Amino acid sequence: MLSNHSSNSEWWRGAVIYQIYPRSFMDSNGDGIGDLPGITSRLEHVAALGVDAIWVSPFFRSPMKDFGYDVSDYRDVDPIFGTLADFDEMLARAHSLGLKIIIDQVLSHTSDQHAWFAESRSSRDNPKADWYVWADPRPDGTPPTNWLSVFGGSAWQWDSRRRQYYLHSFLKEQPDLNFHCAEVQEALLGEVRFWCERGVDGFRFDACNHQFHDAQLRDNPPASTAALDEVSTVRADNPYAMQQHLYDKSQMENLLFLENLRKLLDDYGAVALGEVGDENAPPVMAQYTELGRRLHLAYSFSLLTAEHSVQHLRHQVETLDQALAPTGGWGCWAVSNHDVPRVATRWSNGKPEDTRRDRLWLTLLLTLRGSASIYQGEELGLPEAEVPFELLQDPYGRAFWPEFKGRDGCRTPMPWKADELHAGFTTGGPWLPVHGRHLPLAVDRQSTDPDSMLAFSRALLHWRRTQPLLRTGSIAFFDAPEPVLWFERREGSQSLQALFNMGDESVSVALREALVPLPGHPHSPQAGARVQASGDSCMLTLPPYGVFFGRPASEEQM
C-alpha cells in the first residue's frame, strides 16, 4: 500500500525528531525492558512537546549483542519489545496524535545469527557465499587488511568453517554485508519495502556510509597528527582513530545504491535520514543528500563530541552549510543520542548541573539551520548516569573500561514518576539501574512546575513552530568575542539574529545595528539581556548562559 503522507512531502525539512531508545523508554509488562506498548502508552508526552516525528531505535528480532543493532530478522519484532500488532498499534496512535514514525534500519551489517550469515559461512560455494565480506588470510595467516573495528581490535574475524576471515566494522557478532553483491542490495531493498508497506513515514539508516568497502582490500594509511589531535579529546584510547578510513567505508559505489533506495522510498512517500560516521563528514553528507537523488537528510557526530567551544560550533555548522549549498542537500543536528554521554554532562566543563546551560544548548540546537534530533530525556535536562562496572551492559564499555565507560550512562531508564519504584519505568528489575539524580527530574515533578526544564522545552518547541525561518531560512555567522556565538537566520526580507553567551559570566557585545527584542521567546535569561543605544552604537549585555533573539529595527518598521 502506498503512503498517504505525500501531501506534505517536505515535512522533514527543518523538522524536530524525538529519538526513543525502546529498551529504556517505558516497560509495559514488568520484565525490566522497555517495549512498544510502553512507547504507545507515553506518546501523549511526546506529542505535547511539539515535535514533528519520532525516531525509534531498533526493535527487530536480535540476539542483542549490540542491543538491537545486530538484526537477525528484519521483518519481525523481537519478543522482548512486543509483536508486529504492537508496532501497528504504536504507529496508528502516533499518527492520530499528528506524529510521524521513523524507524531505525541497519543495512550495513546483520547479526551473526541471521539466516543469511548461517548459510554464507557454511561453505564457499553456497547460494549466499558472497553475501558477506569474506577474504583469505595473508600468507602469514594474519588478517587481509589492517582495517580496525569501531569497537576495538581488528575488523576481521577468522571463521574455521570457511577457513577465511569475515569483515565486521563493529562487533564480531555483526558481520558486514557485501554490497558489491547485487543480490544483497535487492534483498535489503525488500526489507525496507516491507516496512514501507506497513505505513512508516521514514527510516534512520544506521552507519549508512559503511555499506561498501574497497573491493581491492587496500590498507588504510595512518591518520595525520592533526587528525589525531582533533579526535583525541573524544576517544584517545581507541586505535580506530589512528587510521584514515579511506578504504573501509564511504566508498563512491554507495551513491548508486542510495539512488535506488531513494526511488523505492519515493514510491511510498517515505523519508531517509542517514547517519554518516566519517572523520570528514560534510562532503559525504552533501553527496548523500544531493537534492532529490539520494537521502533526504543526514547527520554526523559533529556536535556529539566533547569539544564545544564557540570556534568549534561555528566551524562545524559553517563547514556543513558550505558543503550542502552546491548539492541542495539538508542536514540534521543532534547534541545527544544513544551513543554518547548526555550533553548536560558532556558540555558542562566539569561544573555543577545548571538548568540555564541546559536551556541554552536546547535553544541552540533548535535554532541552527537544518532539522534537529532530540534524545529522550533531553527535554528534562537529564545528566549522564553513573553505572558501576558490575552492572554495565555495553560491550563497548566493558572493552575500554575504565578510561571509557561505554554508552550505558545515556541509556538508563526514563524517569516518569519520582516517587514510584524505578521512577515508574517498570514494576520489575530494570535492565539498567535508574539513576538517583534523575528522580527529582522525573516527568511528573516537572509537569507541575512552570519553571522546569520540561515546561521550557515545551514552550520553546511550540514557539519555534511560529518562526518559519527557523525551519528553512539561511544562516550566516558574525564575529563576536568569546564566549559569544552570534548568527543570523534569514528568509526573504525577514531575519532573526541570535546571540548565545556560552560562559558563566555576563558579557557585552557591540551590535552591528539596533535590534528589537523578539517577543514570546521562552528562554528565561532573555529578561536579563539588555540592549543599550548611545548615538550610533548599540550594546547588548547577556547574563551567564544568556540568549537573545532580535530583529533589526529597520525590519520592524516595515
Side-chain angles (χ1 to χ4, degrees), residues 483-521:
V484 174
L485 184 69
W486 183 5
F487 57 82
E488 176 187 72
R489 299 295 307 277
R490 176 174 290 277
E491 190 152 52
S493 61
Q494 295 295 310
S495 70
L496 179 154
Q497 292 189 29
L499 293 96
F500 298 82
N501 178 7
M502 306 295 199
D504 56 5
E505 297 181 1
S506 295
V507 63
S508 294
V509 183
L511 298 176
R512 300 162 61 91
E513 57 188 319
L515 297 180
V516 177
L518 194 65
H521 185 263

Side-chain angles (χ1 to χ4, degrees), residues 75-358:
R75 301 192 184 196
D76 198 11
V77 174
D78 196 277
I80 67 171
F81 295 128
T83 65
L84 281 170
D86 292 329
F87 174 81
D88 292 339
E89 183 178 350
M90 179 187 73
L91 183 69
R93 180 56 177 153
H95 285 168
S96 73
L97 292 169
L99 295 167
K100 311 286 188 184
I101 291 288
I102 295 172
I103 65 171
D104 228 321
Q105 199 77 321
V106 188
L107 302 185
S108 70
H109 57 269
T110 70
S111 164
D112 62 354
Q113 301 303 306
H114 197 291
W116 296 349
F117 188 68
E119 183 173 355
S120 185
R121 78 190 313 183
S122 65
S123 69
R124 297 193 186 191
D125 56 3
N126 67 80
K128 291 185 173 59
D130 62 346
W131 277 40
Y132 292 81
V133 184
W134 296 96
D136 292 327
R138 290 175 174 174
D140 62 357
T142 55
T145 72
N146 68 347
W147 300 348
L148 297 172
S149 163
V150 174
F151 290 159
S154 173
W156 296 96
Q157 177 68 26
W158 176 254
D159 184 80
S160 58
R161 295 170 181 83
R162 286 185 50 142
R163 297 180 63 82
Q164 285 183 306
Y165 283 96
Y166 67 83
L167 181 67
H168 61 94
S169 296
F170 299 94
L171 296 175
K172 64 181 178 62
E173 294 87 359
Q174 295 171 297
D176 284 16
L177 284 159
N178 179 18
F179 274 73
H180 293 285
C181 174
E183 291 179 344
V184 168
Q185 295 187 37
E186 285 303 313
L188 290 172
L189 291 176
E191 306 304 310
V192 173
R193 184 179 294 107
F194 173 85
W195 291 101
C196 286
E197 292 180 347
R198 213 155 193 104
V200 301
D201 302 281
F203 300 86
R204 179 265 189 186
F205 290 106
D206 180 72
C208 67
N209 62 313
H210 283 263
Q211 290 168 174
F212 277 84
H213 67 286
D214 174 46
Q216 298 180 50
L217 297 182
R218 286 171 284 186
D219 281 347
N220 284 328
S224 66
T225 302
L228 283 172
D229 289 343
E230 182 177 344
V231 300
S232 65
T233 57
V234 188
R235 297 302 320 283
D237 52 298
N238 191 341
Y240 186 81
M242 299 173 70
Q243 290 185 355
Q244 296 181 58
H245 294 275
L246 300 184
Y247 300 115
D248 54 344
K249 60 183 180 181
S250 302
Q251 301 301 292
M252 292 299 293
E253 295 96 325
N254 199 26
L255 299 181
L256 180 57
F257 172 76
L258 294 178
E259 289 172 10
N260 292 330
L261 176 63
R262 177 61 180 264
K263 292 174 185 176
L264 168 64
L265 297 177
D266 283 348
D267 287 342
Y268 295 88
V271 168
L273 166 63
E275 177 196 39
V276 177
D278 192 278
E279 291 70 26
N280 187 24
V284 180
M285 295 169 69
Q287 287 181 327
Y288 282 17
T289 63
E290 186 172 345
L291 193 59
R293 297 185 62 192
R294 301 177 188 117
L295 304 176
H296 295 77
L297 65 168
Y299 80 95
S300 70
F301 288 79
S302 298
L303 302 187
L304 295 172
T305 65
E307 174 61 51
H308 62 286
S309 66
V310 169
Q311 180 182 5
H312 174 79
L313 295 172
R314 176 175 175 174
H315 173 72
Q316 295 300 327
V317 176
E318 286 186 318
T319 301
L320 179 60
D321 200 51
Q322 291 163 7
L324 294 176
T327 68
W330 196 255
C332 181
W333 297 103
V335 295
S336 283
N337 71 6
H338 64 291
D339 280 332
V340 299
R342 289 188 175 274
V343 68
T345 300
R346 192 176 78 250
W347 285 359
S348 68
N349 295 326
K351 296 177 181 177
E353 295 162 22
D354 193 322
T355 302
R356 298 173 302 173
R357 191 170 58 233
D358 298 336

Side-chain angles (χ1 to χ4, degrees), residues 424-451:
F425 164 72
T426 181
T427 57
W431 77 287
L432 281 174
V434 175
H435 190 41
R437 291 165 61 202
H438 289 178
L439 294 177
L441 301 175
V443 172
D444 66 336
R445 290 272 182 91
Q446 295 203 39
S447 291
T448 58
D449 180 1
D451 295 323

Side-chain angles (χ1 to χ4, degrees), residues 3-58:
S3 170
N4 295 319
H5 305 130
S6 58
S7 58
N8 183 17
S9 60
E10 291 206 337
W11 64 264
W12 49 271
R13 194 178 292 275
V16 179
I17 303 165
Y18 184 89
Q19 183 193 354
I20 289 178
Y21 192 69
R23 296 181 70 91
S24 303
F25 196 64
M26 181 67 198
D27 173 26
S28 70
N29 60 8
D31 67 356
I33 298 174
D35 46 42
L36 298 184
I39 293 174
T40 303
S41 72
R42 295 294 185 183
L43 284 178
E44 289 187 6
H45 165 78
V46 182
L49 289 174
V51 301
D52 300 287
I54 297 170
W55 150 26
V56 186
S57 289

